[in-house]
Each structure stands twice: as C-alpha cells, then as structure tokens.
Amino acid sequence: MTDQLARQLTQRFYRYLAISSQSDAKSTTLPSTPSQHAMAELLAAELRELGLEEIVIDQHATVTAIKRGNRPEAPRIGFITHIDTVDVGLSADIHPQTLTFTGGDLCLNAVQDIWLRVAEHPEIVPYLGQQIIFSDGTSVLGADNKAAVTVVMTLMENLQGDHGDIVVAFVPDEEIGLRGAKALDLEQRFDVDFAWTIDCCELGEVVYENFNAAAAEIIFTGVPAHPMSGKGVLVNPLLMAHDFIQRFDRQATPEHTEGREGYIWFNDMQANASRAVLKASIRDFDLNGFDAKKQQLVEIADEIAAQYPTGQVALSINDVYSNISNAIGEDRRAIDLIFAALAQLGIEPKVIPMRGGTDGAALSAKGLLTPNFFTGAHNFHSRFEFLPVPSFVKSYQVAEALCYLAAR
C-alpha cells in the first residue's frame, strides 16, 4: 500500500509540476501571473471528477470545494495550500527527476554540470537508500507548495472512512505576501472550525509560531547639482540611504540571526542623483520587539532628515503577516490534533518557530487558527530543493489521520 501511495503521489506531483506557475512580486494583479489560472483550472476540473461539491474557481485563481462527510456532528475542517512557486531568478519551468541516494554526490544536470554535493548539503545524509525527488538543477523543485497540493488532492481522491465535512482551498501568490489567503472570504468560501496548511519543512516539523512581518519603504529625496557648483548645495540621496543603513546593527540581519531572533533586512534599493528608494523587511516573533523595530526605523528616518535639512525622507511601513501564535486561544484542537496524528504514526514531532510565514498566518490573523505541518522537503527556494518520497508519504498519512481524528 505504501509503495502504491508513493507512486500515486509522485505521479500527481509530476503532473502539477508540469504547469509553470511562478508568482511575480512586481505585479499588482491577483493572481500575479496568468499561469496560476492554468493550475487553478486543472485543480477545479479534477475536483469535479472526484465528486466534491460547491466547487468555485474565481477570477483570482482561488479554488475552493467541499468533500462531504458522514459525521455531521464532527467539526468542519479545512486544508489550504498555495499554487504558486517562488521566483528566485531560476527557470520557471520545472523538470523533476527521482533519484536514489546511495551516499555519494548526486548529478542533477550533466549538461550544465550541476551537482548536489553531500559535503555542502549534509541534510541529505539521513535519507540514505531512499528515493528522492529533485529538479534538474535549473529551477526550484516546487515542493513549496505543489507537494502540499498533491497531498490534499490525493486525500480527496482516497479518503473513504468516517469523517466530517472537509473544505479545501487552493490560493495564489503566497510567495509574495500571502496575497491569495488574505483575499480569501472565510465566511463564503472557507467556513471551517479550524484548518491546516502543509508548507515546508522536513519530516515531523510542526509550526504554530512564525514571524510577525512588515515591509518598509524609505524614499530619500536629494538635491541634484552639477559637481562644479555642488559645494553646500548638492545632497546625494545614495549617501542619505547609506547613512540610514549604517545606523542599524549589522548583527541584527538574517545572516547573523537564528531561532526566535528578529531582524531588519535591507534588501532592495533603486537610486539616481535625485532620489533613492530603499526597501526593508522587518521580522520578529515578539510583538513588542516587532513594534520596537518599526519605531527604530521612524526615529532613524527623523535623524537622517535632520542631518540633511534640504533633503527629504519619507517612510512607510505596512504589515505583511502576523504570528500564528497571536491567534491561539482556548480552542487548540488544530494544534493538538497534529500531535495526535504524529503520535499515531510514530513520527517524532519537531516544533520550530518558522522564520517566515505561511497562508495560515493570514488566516490566523482573521481569527481562524491555522497551524502548519511538513511536506517533508528540504532547501526551499533553492536549486537544491529535494523531497524524500517516504517523507512525502508520511505527510499524506498525517493529513489523512487528521481527518479521522477530527471526526472522533
């Protein structure tokens, strides 16, 4: 049965990977790319074939449907996954392959000489002897999050025992600010008692803490002048931005922090002689620390404005998502059931504070507690992303167990 399930999951995963569906952070539409519509249409068609009800696909490439249960007294549960893959400058087209890891370096692409070196990626060592899915090294694998889409769709096909109503949602543009989940109407489209995301992370990982996240934009307006007459007149916006960045702790950045440590990350700047636009990501698990980082940006913006009185500094800060744990109240069923499912399957739980966000963060902020559990994959957003097939199977088994446990 496990071998049959592994083949079923792998075949469906390959089918979904054949549809390129990167999101585009520069786009202002929802979805940000037309290709996500193609993915949504495929899922809607498959859900119809599987006999689900109330299937809706909207102009935003969001698909929702209900699998009716036979336990009307059971809580109404939901699974939400995203259909976009991330754009990190690699190919949008994914060419998956399944290799067996025998302990040595793995050639992902002989033509381009792309290798996964065990010395550089020791995280693969525990999977000795296992079949593992990779891309051909020219793209991410897309397990984030098409592995989860595969798990949920396979669950909709296979589930036969006693369970309550199950609502599924497939949303676009998670990778660029959880846009699809933020637009999801919980009352009309995803009316459930609690829900789960299946996004990221190795076998056994459970997430009900993630960053509070905000995005900052700082616009420095200088005073252009010809260098021959620039003394006392010219104000260089690049130097304004440089002076701004220098006032922050160089150790409080992503490359110097871990665990529950927050950071401010300056990650984009467009500039010329008149204007510089600097962008930053603000992250912290603790709300007080989160607010303090925002206030620090405000105070330093004021300092730079005072330092350059003939220039201008404009700061805007927008919240992107919040910590799932902010929404935890007395009803912890969504979290407790994950641990019950793991215990039933003999999987050791690995609770991590996620240094990122999932669609569950957006839903939790709306009042719907939505923790996360693993797909089994490693190295997201990388050409070396990989998914061990046995872990993939375990992800499915956890999702299946949740449906039955919730009904009890």
Side-chain angles (χ1 to χ4, degrees), residues 175-385:
E175 297 289 1
I176 54 174
L178 319 184
R179 295 181 189 178
K182 289 177 180 178
L184 180 62
D185 186 329
L186 298 188
E187 292 185 4
Q188 300 297 321
R189 301 283 299 278
F190 202 63
D191 180 17
V192 297
D193 294 303
F194 48 85
W196 297 279
T197 53
I198 313 170
D199 196 357
C200 104
C201 308
E202 66 183 273
L203 175 66
E205 289 199 355
V206 178
V207 173
Y208 52 87
E209 279 188 280
N210 63 276
F211 273 140
N212 296 291
E217 181 179 81
I218 312 97
I219 300 175
F220 304 93
T221 303
V223 180
H226 194 286
M228 72 173 66
S229 56
K231 185 173 182 179
V233 177
L234 187 149
V235 176
N236 187 339
L238 284 81
L239 293 181
M240 295 173 72
H242 175 268
D243 289 349
F244 183 88
I245 293 170
Q246 282 219 316
R247 282 172 163 78
F248 291 84
D249 183 357
R250 288 291 298 273
Q251 299 302 306
T253 56
E255 63 268 33
H256 295 294
T257 53
E258 61 183 354
R260 288 184 171 78
E261 297 172 326
Y263 57 76
I264 295 176
W265 178 27
F266 297 104
N267 49 30
D268 187 77
M269 188 167 73
Q270 304 293 323
N272 55 38
S274 299
R275 189 170 182 261
V277 180
L278 176 66
K279 295 184 178 181
S281 296
I282 308 160
R283 301 289 188 268
D284 207 296
F285 286 92
D286 177 70
L287 280 173
N288 290 331
F290 188 50
D291 291 338
K293 287 177 173 60
K294 293 181 184 179
Q295 184 59 34
Q296 184 183 18
L297 285 162
V298 171
E299 292 172 356
I300 293 177
D302 290 341
E303 291 176 13
I304 298 300
Q307 181 180 340
Y308 295 92
T310 57
Q312 295 179 2
V313 182
L315 168 68
S316 62
I317 300 175
N318 295 297
D319 288 344
V320 179
Y321 53 82
S322 60
N323 193 337
I324 292 170
S325 68
N326 298 342
I328 297 176
E330 293 183 2
D331 186 353
R332 294 177 53 96
R333 285 177 294 175
I335 297 171
D336 294 340
L337 283 170
I338 293 178
F339 290 104
L342 294 175
Q344 179 175 291
L345 293 165
I347 300 171
E348 181 183 354
K350 301 172 184 176
V351 180
I352 63 165
M354 180 185 280
R355 294 177 63 79
T358 71
D359 284 325
L363 300 191
S364 296
K366 294 181 179 184
L368 177 63
L369 180 61
T370 309
N372 181 79
F373 63 93
F374 65 94
T375 61
H378 288 257
N379 298 337
F380 291 98
H381 298 197
S382 161
R383 70 173 76 245
F384 300 112
E385 182 181 1

Side-chain angles (χ1 to χ4, degrees), residues 379-397:
N379 298 337
F380 291 98
H381 298 197
S382 161
R383 70 173 76 245
F384 300 112
E385 182 181 1
F386 67 84
L387 175 58
V389 173
S391 299
F392 198 7
V393 169
K394 290 293 186 183
S395 178
Y396 170 89
Q397 290 173 335

Side-chain angles (χ1 to χ4, degrees), residues 82 84-86 142-147 174-175 199 380-381 385:
H82 65 90
D84 62 316
T85 58
V86 69
D144 180 9
N145 195 28
K146 289 184 179 178
E174 187 267 357
E175 297 289 1
D199 196 357
F380 291 98
H381 298 197
E385 182 181 1

